[in-house]
Amino acid sequence: MSSKLKKIIGISAILFLVVAVFGYMKLIKSNTAFEENEVYVYIPSNATYDDAKKIIAPYVENIGAFEWFNGLRGYDKKVKPGKFLLKKGMGNFKLVSALRRNVPVTISYNNQERLENLVQRIAKKIEADSTQLMQSFTNDDFLTKNGFTKENVFTLFLPNTYEFYWNTSADEFRDKMLKEYKKFWTEERLKKAENLNMTPMQVTTLASIVHKETVKADERPRVAKVYLNRLDLGMPLQADPTIIYSKKLMTNDFDQVIKRVYYGDFNIDSPYNTYMYQGLPPGPIAMPDINAIDAVLNPEDHDYIYFCASVERFGYHEFASTLSQHNVNAAKYAQWLNEQGTK
């Protein structure tokens, strides 16, 4: 081999090495433009590469180098929607890798009073907005197919923590909730509901009243039985929480705090007013927790048909089988309220 050829080969090798090192540095050298240790970027469904680039650009120091590597990895041909975690100091290789790893989001909810409030909460966590979620859950075909109504579809939701991807659609979220609902209503629970001559929706509706009546888990089966006794006797439920719900519904103000029910409130003409209308309301007045649902399915055995808040065991109630005894208990509670100046 001539010295000239050796020289050419040597120069070529050096050039190749320089290019390789330069390319490698473009892969690993930090290319982030944010001060935080971590940031999340959200790429919408059906986003084009140009759409994604505009979202990512504020977090990338050298967008040209980033695009160069996108071409090598094919990201510009296949953009993935979702929530993605970018870490400070990432090079182009790690940035593109991060944009392929959709990060799950967790959604927790409990103690919501109505579907309108819940969908607003959910919409803060996933791509679907509250309008899309509301339309999905009140879709006529969905309701008919699964035996729900617009008034009782709220019984579909069970308080818990769930995991989704941010780019979950409204229908995908709804179908996941339906799956969880069917999983909860086991054959054993369905049989207990049948023994009460109630549907799961009716059980949950009653459980929502029990849930609002008492936070004491050990007292809920007793409260549940009071209402079941009233239903069996053909008595109105006369549940104060349904008056509070009716008042909030009438004023369209579910942020107000109502601590006391007055006689005038009993005249609110609402299907949720169980003083005015006999039987269960058309749907739940809140999202009951599982303990309240199981309290209805496993009620205590007694003949009480009255109860009111106790002034001796705060948080609990005094129960009675006769109206005369109930009036004594109720008078004690009313006197205590007046002494406290509760309005």
Side-chain angles (χ1 to χ4, degrees), residues 30-36 56-62 88-90:
S30 173
N31 194 22
T32 54
F34 49 88
E35 294 301 319
E36 302 89 342
I56 299 164
Y59 305 101
V60 175
E61 183 176 358
N62 186 337
K88 184 178 180 180
M90 278 183 164

Side-chain angles (χ1 to χ4, degrees), residues 144-185:
T144 302
K145 180 180 178 181
N146 295 286
F148 292 106
T149 66
K150 290 182 179 179
E151 291 76 24
N152 69 25
V153 70
F154 195 42
T155 63
L156 179 67
F157 297 92
L158 299 165
N160 211 332
T161 298
Y162 303 94
E163 189 173 271
F164 291 89
Y165 287 114
W166 174 79
N167 54 305
T168 298
S169 70
D171 286 353
E172 287 171 338
F173 185 90
R174 179 198 66 194
D175 293 345
K176 169 70 172 178
M177 291 299 94
L178 179 62
K179 184 178 179 180
E180 293 295 325
Y181 174 85
K182 291 180 177 180
K183 188 188 302 182
F184 173 80
W185 282 100

Side-chain angles (χ1 to χ4, degrees), residues 3-23:
S3 58
K4 186 175 181 180
L5 182 58
K6 288 181 180 180
K7 188 175 181 179
I8 292 173
I9 292 173
I11 293 173
S12 298
I14 292 171
L15 289 173
F16 177 80
L17 182 61
V18 169
V19 171
V21 170
F22 176 74

Side-chain angles (χ1 to χ4, degrees), residues 259-260 262 333-343:
K259 294 184 178 180
R260 188 170 184 177
Y262 291 92
Y333 181 60
Q335 181 181 351
W336 181 84
L337 283 178
N338 290 328
E339 290 172 354
Q340 304 304 309
T342 302
K343 299 297 181 183

Side-chain angles (χ1 to χ4, degrees), residues 6 18 32 43 53 75 88 93 111 122 134 136 138 141 147 167 173 175 180 191 200 214 249-250 265 274 278 328 332:
K6 288 181 180 180
V18 169
T32 54
I43 309 297
K53 189 170 62 173
Y75 179 76
K88 184 178 180 180
F93 180 85
N111 206 30
I122 295 168
M134 197 69 184
S136 182
T138 57
D141 290 339
N167 54 305
F173 185 90
D175 293 345
E180 293 295 325
K191 183 63 178 177
T214 178
L249 190 63
M250 179 186 67
D265 297 331
T274 57
Q278 194 166 329
V328 172
K332 287 182 182 179

Side-chain angles (χ1 to χ4, degrees), residues 24-255:
Y24 179 69
M25 291 303 296
K26 288 181 76 172
L27 297 184
I28 66 170
K29 181 184 177 182
S30 173
N31 194 22
T32 54
F34 49 88
E35 294 301 319
E36 302 89 342
N37 290 326
E38 298 179 345
V39 297
Y40 288 100
V41 296
Y42 298 83
I43 309 297
S45 299
N46 302 317
T48 65
Y49 176 60
D50 286 339
D51 296 331
K53 189 170 62 173
K54 289 177 183 177
I55 294 169
I56 299 164
Y59 305 101
V60 175
E61 183 176 358
N62 186 337
I63 193 66
F66 177 72
E67 285 193 87
W68 170 78
F69 189 65
N70 286 341
L72 295 180
R73 291 287 302 273
Y75 179 76
D76 57 336
K77 300 294 191 300
K78 191 174 182 180
V79 173
K80 188 173 183 179
K83 175 183 178 182
F84 305 98
L85 173 63
L86 306 183
K87 296 182 178 182
K88 184 178 180 180
M90 278 183 164
N92 291 316
F93 180 85
K94 289 187 176 180
L95 282 171
V96 175
S97 296
L99 292 169
R100 296 192 185 283
R101 290 193 294 269
N102 201 352
V103 178
V105 298
T106 56
I107 299 178
S108 299
Y109 52 74
N110 61 4
N111 206 30
Q112 301 292 300
E113 286 189 293
R114 57 179 184 162
L115 183 58
E116 289 86 344
N117 299 104
L118 179 60
V119 295
Q120 290 175 7
R121 184 184 181 101
I122 295 168
K124 294 177 181 178
K125 291 285 191 174
I126 63 174
E127 183 177 14
D129 62 31
S130 57
T131 300
Q132 292 169 331
L133 287 163
M134 197 69 184
Q135 290 174 344
S136 182
F137 281 109
T138 57
N139 175 271
D140 289 336
D141 290 339
F142 171 78
L143 295 175
T144 302
K145 180 180 178 181
N146 295 286
F148 292 106
T149 66
K150 290 182 179 179
E151 291 76 24
N152 69 25
V153 70
F154 195 42
T155 63
L156 179 67
F157 297 92
L158 299 165
N160 211 332
T161 298
Y162 303 94
E163 189 173 271
F164 291 89
Y165 287 114
W166 174 79
N167 54 305
T168 298
S169 70
D171 286 353
E172 287 171 338
F173 185 90
R174 179 198 66 194
D175 293 345
K176 169 70 172 178
M177 291 299 94
L178 179 62
K179 184 178 179 180
E180 293 295 325
Y181 174 85
K182 291 180 177 180
K183 188 188 302 182
F184 173 80
W185 282 100
T186 60
E187 287 188 18
E188 181 182 3
R189 284 193 172 102
L190 288 172
K191 183 63 178 177
K192 288 180 178 180
E194 184 181 345
N195 290 339
L196 295 172
N197 294 315
M198 300 175 80
T199 65
M201 296 82 164
Q202 291 172 324
V203 169
T204 303
T205 297
L206 181 56
S208 72
I209 298 175
V210 173
H211 176 97
K212 283 293 186 179
E213 284 285 12
T214 178
V215 298
K216 303 296 185 182
D218 59 331
E219 190 183 55
R220 283 176 170 173
R222 180 172 295 185
V223 172
K225 183 58 174 175
V226 169
Y227 287 126
L228 290 169
N229 286 343
R230 290 180 184 179
L231 288 172
D232 287 342
L233 292 171
M235 290 177 59
L237 290 180
Q238 294 186 331
D240 286 1
T242 67
I243 297 292
I244 294 173
Y245 184 87
S246 298
K247 192 169 185 177
K248 290 183 176 182
L249 190 63
M250 179 186 67
T251 58
N252 195 31
D253 181 5
F254 279 81
D255 294 324

